[in-house]
Amino acid sequence: MSASSEGSIAAVLGGLAVLAIPAAGGAAYTTRVTLLDAVYVAVPAAFVIALLAVAVYRRARARLERSVRRAGVRIVRTARFLAFAGLYVAVTGALALGFYGVLHLRS
């Protein structure tokens, strides 16, 4: 597998991680699932997908560093951005759920 193909996989995984929580909100809006239940599932899913995206991105970056021809630099940069953005969204969602839990226990 080349660095650009691994970068593409990492970019897709990062995009899925970024869109997991908004997709859960949309699913809660259109189905009979409550928003809180949807977010309970979406946050861990986004975290796992983001960790996979970071792992694939790191492998693509290492493969790119070892190559003579620097094909795929842009896609690897995009993959890095999306992977870490997905991780950021997942951690932010986890903090929001934790804060909600603390408020729910105090009330």
Side-chain angles (χ1 to χ4, degrees):
M1 210 181 271
S2 67
S4 61
S5 63
E6 285 180 342
S8 298
I9 293 169
V12 167
L13 287 173
L16 286 174
V18 168
L19 294 176
I21 296 175
Y29 181 72
T30 59
T31 61
R32 293 173 32 172
V33 177
T34 65
L35 180 62
L36 191 59
D37 290 336
V39 172
Y40 278 150
V41 173
V43 168
F47 187 73
V48 169
I49 294 170
L51 286 179
L52 286 172
V54 169
V56 175
Y57 150 72
R58 287 174 54 98
R59 183 174 171 156
R61 186 192 64 192
R63 193 175 293 248
L64 186 67
E65 291 293 323
R66 285 185 264 134
S67 69
V68 175
R69 230 177 110 228
R70 307 281 294 177
V73 173
R74 285 186 185 171
I75 192 69
V76 172
R77 276 191 202 141
T78 303
R80 178 183 63 194
F81 174 76
L82 288 173
F84 285 112
L87 195 60
Y88 174 76
V89 167
V91 168
T92 303
L95 287 172
L97 283 177
F99 190 69
Y100 172 78
V102 168
L103 288 178
H104 189 68
L105 285 175
R106 290 291 189 182
S107 64

